[in-house]
Amino acid sequence: MTGDRPTLAWWAPARHADRRAFLLARAAITRALRAWFEAQGFLEVETGVLQVSPGNETHLHAPSARLTLPSGEQVTRYFRTSPEFACKKLLAAGERQIVEFARVFRDRERGDRHLPEFTMLEWYRAQAPLDAIIADCVAVIGEAARVAGTRQFAFRGQSADPFIAPERLTVADAFRRLAGIDLLATIVDGAPDRAALARAADGQVRVTDDDTWSDIFSKVLVSHVEPTLGQGRLTVLHDYPAPEAALARVKPSDPRVAERFEIYACGVELANGFAELTDAQEQRLRFTEAMDEKERRYGERYPLDEDFLAAVAQMPAASGVALGFDRLVMLAAGAVRIDQVVWTPPEERV
């Protein structure tokens, strides 16, 4: 039955030799970043992969496992999509600066920049403003490039210098400049006006009757904004609209936006960070709404992690970020696909 056997094409000697240079760069970057975080006073932690809830975002999907307890009872646990819940429990318990090289899982994802299992570099600073985490990100990206011997990132015809000051761009300015849309005019008292955004986006993207405000926002972001970001230098895209706050707090000076940012290089999203929400009631409301939408769209919902919500209420003010480590290595090492920079990529039948 040879025809049914998987072919490990990535392991073929010639191709493995090409990949090995990328993998050696990965190992060097890992060592250097561990040293960088230690020098900054971070404690490296290692949290559990199997969780009561994998995360409560509408469009993220997680594999699950059935566990049998000593009593014989069977329970469902989920492979985490992020270490965020566990890390915030540690902040609530008193840790102040923590970092994790976390193995995380995303079902329904596979491509040149996506893997179903990958490494997320996530870290938090208690009692620190968002700008401190942004500065960390810029330093970490530059350190990865330095260790790999790369003066300039290059990917799909775009380039970015990771050593010069990044561009700072609000989401509202990006939508106005690149899509001709006044995004903040479609948010009233922090709530999305779907009809207003649909009118504004008419002619820019295809809008269907089933699209929510967030769907239209994402379509414009993906088609008109993201491809232009991180050209020539890194881009810090910040002040996300309040409906896209996720686990970030709303900006006190403007309820239409949240203290959230993403960093791009060569059109590739590298990092997603928040000034963390510490209002457990608001977080529960956001999660419930997201799970209602997930159930409407996909016919499934994930449970809420009550221990996490209790931790949110006890957390100090903090800022944190999740950085796609494999994507960073891909750009720093000069690879063109993410599976070139992981030791054992998912096997595929060919």
Side-chain angles (χ1 to χ4, degrees):
M1 299 290 292
T2 30
D4 293 331
R5 295 177 59 189
T7 302
L8 305 183
W10 59 269
W11 187 79
R15 295 179 68 177
H16 182 65
D18 292 338
R19 291 180 67 252
R20 194 166 189 274
F22 297 141
L23 298 171
L24 291 177
R26 180 190 181 101
I29 292 169
T30 301
R31 289 192 299 270
L33 293 188
R34 281 199 158 106
W36 187 91
F37 280 104
E38 184 175 8
Q40 295 293 315
F42 283 84
L43 175 66
E44 185 173 346
V45 300
E46 187 174 5
T47 61
V49 167
L50 289 175
Q51 298 287 327
V52 170
S53 174
N56 296 107
E57 296 187 44
T58 300
H59 300 293
L60 291 186
H61 304 272
S64 63
R66 294 286 289 172
L67 303 183
T68 303
L69 304 180
S71 65
E73 177 188 2
Q74 289 195 326
V75 296
T76 299
R77 292 293 181 264
Y78 296 90
F79 291 85
R80 63 186 178 181
T81 59
S82 162
E84 185 164 4
F85 287 7
C87 285
K88 288 182 176 177
K89 291 174 187 177
L90 294 179
L91 291 178
E95 299 298 340
R96 288 298 176 261
Q97 288 188 188
I98 56 175
V99 61
E100 181 170 7
F101 287 79
R103 299 299 291 176
V104 298
F105 303 83
R106 303 279 173 92
D107 211 357
R108 309 190 190 196
E109 293 194 10
R110 184 70 169 97
D112 288 349
R113 288 178 283 179
H114 297 87
L115 291 170
E117 177 184 357
F118 60 98
T119 299
M120 182 176 285
L121 178 56
E122 189 152 330
W123 68 94
Y124 294 86
R125 287 183 181 267
Q127 304 297 347
L130 197 60
D131 277 345
I133 290 289
I134 293 174
D136 284 344
C137 285
V138 174
V140 163
I141 293 168
E143 180 68 1
R146 183 192 68 78
V147 171
T150 300
R151 285 301 310 168
Q152 189 160 269
F153 293 153
F155 186 76
R156 293 184 177 176
Q158 299 186 36
S159 62
D161 186 335
F163 300 106
I164 62 177
E167 171 191 28
R168 298 285 293 258
L169 181 65
T170 69
V171 176
D173 284 345
F175 269 60
R176 186 178 299 107
R177 180 193 306 174
L178 301 169
I181 293 174
D182 184 353
L183 186 65
L184 297 187
T186 73
I187 303 170
V188 181
D189 295 327
D193 183 336
R194 189 264 180 203
L197 184 56
R199 289 192 299 272
D202 185 37
Q204 300 289 343
V205 294
R206 180 174 177 270
V207 177
T208 67
D209 292 341
D210 193 48
D211 283 338
T212 65
W213 186 97
S214 289
D215 294 331
I216 302 168
F217 169 83
S218 295
K219 286 181 177 182
V220 176
L221 183 73
V222 169
S223 61
H224 293 282
V225 177
E226 285 186 330
T228 74
L229 302 180
Q231 295 192 26
R233 54 179 172 161
L234 303 178
T235 297
V236 179
L237 188 68
H238 62 100
D239 284 3
Y240 267 67
E244 297 296 306
L247 286 83
R249 69 189 180 204
V250 170
K251 201 169 187 177
S253 60
D254 188 346
R256 298 173 299 175
V257 299
E259 294 186 87
R260 174 184 175 185
F261 75 92
E262 293 189 348
I263 293 185
Y264 291 81
C266 304
V268 177
E269 178 201 335
L270 287 177
N272 180 22
F274 308 140
E276 306 297 345
L277 180 65
T278 56
D279 182 334
Q281 184 176 353
E282 172 63 21
Q283 191 65 81
R284 181 185 296 275
L285 175 63
R286 292 183 192 178
F287 281 171
T288 300
E289 290 176 346
M291 291 302 93
D292 288 346
E293 181 64 10
K294 179 184 282 288
E295 187 167 38
R296 184 185 75 84
R297 286 175 174 268
Y298 304 110
E300 63 176 347
R301 64 190 302 135
Y302 299 139
L304 304 188
D305 184 337
E306 293 296 339
D307 287 344
F308 167 71
L309 291 170
V312 168
Q314 300 297 319
M315 269 179 58
S319 295
V321 67
L323 184 148
F325 182 69
D326 308 291
R327 288 186 180 182
L328 176 59
V329 173
M330 179 182 72
L331 291 181
V336 296
R337 298 187 314 277
I338 198 168
D339 58 338
Q340 292 177 303
V341 299
V342 296
W343 285 95
T344 54
E347 294 129 357
E348 296 182 353
R349 294 179 184 271
V350 294

